[in-house]
């Protein structure tokens, strides 16, 4: 499994796709730094920057880019055949891919979120955002990795989930929030470091349980889905 993880990480950072990971984190840190430098009241910019940009855009979009890239490109170009011919359990392949995706997504999103949280409020708030980002990265990565196995347009469907389900329906239709990873992250973060910037719409127990459901369910389904692929790279 470690070999697959190493190859995946090397391939991910060797592609131009990795360059897409930089602008959003830099934008998040830049906006927070500018507001702090000009002594703008965090109550005026904290929610818009930390939640509106950090949790609603940076974390899910980075997870989408990485999650669909660790395996989706191999499915598209046919190199998945080389992996399938190796004497490796499908479980180990998926777990290695998920480990890389979640790890890269968590680090790339957690660092700027910590900085933004620190500038907006305190170290405790920054660390709470890190915990929320890690939980969210794992759930998002499992979901987007699965999408790369069940559809040829995982990025499009992932964007639909982020923009429509979470961004639109999740804010105005209460029943959809129970299936919103963004809401789980907000609730978990707010529980650790309560501030006026966050307003969790789901309870913490629901957030924890549903995060686990997304992570475990997506992983198990992805393992089963990969197991249905033949050596020709197609589902049997």
């Amino acid at each position: 499994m470690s070999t697959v993880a190493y190859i995946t990480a090397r391939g991910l950072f060797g592609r131009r796709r990795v360059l897409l990971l930089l602008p959003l984190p830099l934008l998040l840190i830049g906006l927070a730094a500018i507001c702090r430098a000009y002594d703008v009241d965090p109550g005026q910019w904290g929610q818009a920057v930390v939640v509106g940009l950090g949790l609603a855009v940076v974390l899910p979009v980075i997870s989408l880019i990485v999650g669909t890239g660790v395996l989706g490109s191999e499915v598209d170009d046919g190199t998945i055949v080389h992996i399938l011919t190796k004497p490796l359990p499908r479980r180990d392949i998926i777990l290695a891919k998920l480990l890389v995706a979640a790890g890269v997504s968590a680090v790339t999103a957690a660092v700027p979120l910590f900085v933004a949280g620190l500038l907006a409020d305190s170290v405790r708030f920054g660390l709470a955002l890190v915990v929320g980002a890690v939980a969210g990265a794992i759930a998002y990565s499992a979901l987007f990795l699965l999408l790369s196995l069940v559809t040829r347009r995982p990025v499009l469907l992932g964007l639909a989930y982020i923009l429509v389900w979470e961004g639109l329906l999740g804010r105005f239709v209460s029943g959809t929030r129970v299936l919103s990873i963004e809401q789980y992250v907000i609730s978990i973060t707010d529980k650790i470091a309560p501030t006026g910037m966050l307003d969790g719409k789901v309870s913490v127990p629901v957030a924890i349980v549903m995060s686990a459901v997304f992570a475990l369910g997506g992983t198990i389904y992805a393992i089963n889905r990969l197991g249905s692929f033949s050596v020709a790279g197609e589902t049997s």
Side-chain angles (χ1 to χ4, degrees), residues 157-169:
L157 289 182
L159 285 174
Y161 174 76
I162 295 170
L163 299 177
V164 179
W165 187 270
E166 293 192 328
L168 183 61
L169 298 179

Side-chain angles (χ1 to χ4, degrees), residues 17-28 62 108:
R17 178 179 296 224
V18 74
L19 298 177
L20 299 176
L21 303 181
L22 299 178
L24 286 176
L26 293 177
L27 176 62
L28 177 60
I62 286 177
T108 308

Side-chain angles (χ1 to χ4, degrees), residues 39-194:
D39 292 324
V40 181
D41 184 1
Q44 298 180 1
W45 63 268
Q47 186 175 42
V49 173
V50 174
V51 180
L53 177 60
L55 299 184
V57 178
V58 175
L59 175 59
V61 170
I62 286 177
S63 298
L64 176 63
I65 294 171
V66 178
T68 57
V70 292
L71 189 57
S73 59
E74 295 171 353
V75 174
D76 290 340
D77 61 22
T79 55
I80 186 66
V81 173
H82 299 291
I83 297 178
L84 296 177
T85 56
K86 303 296 182 182
L88 292 172
R90 301 295 192 259
R91 177 195 61 199
D92 289 354
I93 295 173
I94 292 297
L95 290 179
K97 299 286 187 181
L98 179 60
L99 177 64
V100 172
V104 172
S105 299
V107 172
T108 308
V111 172
L113 279 169
F114 172 78
V115 175
L118 174 63
L119 295 176
D121 189 87
S122 63
V123 172
R124 181 181 178 183
F125 184 48
L127 292 175
L129 286 168
V130 170
V131 174
V134 171
I138 295 172
Y140 277 124
S141 297
L143 173 62
F144 297 142
L145 176 61
L146 172 61
L147 288 181
S148 69
L149 289 171
V150 299
T151 176
R152 292 185 178 277
R153 294 180 174 82
V155 174
L156 181 60
L157 289 182
L159 285 174
Y161 174 76
I162 295 170
L163 299 177
V164 179
W165 187 270
E166 293 192 328
L168 183 61
L169 298 179
R171 283 172 170 74
F172 301 106
V173 183
S174 59
T176 63
R177 294 166 185 162
V178 73
L179 294 177
S180 171
I181 297 174
E182 178 192 343
Q183 292 299 324
Y184 311 156
V185 174
I186 291 174
S187 294
I188 292 171
T189 303
D190 192 42
K191 178 64 176 180
I192 299 173

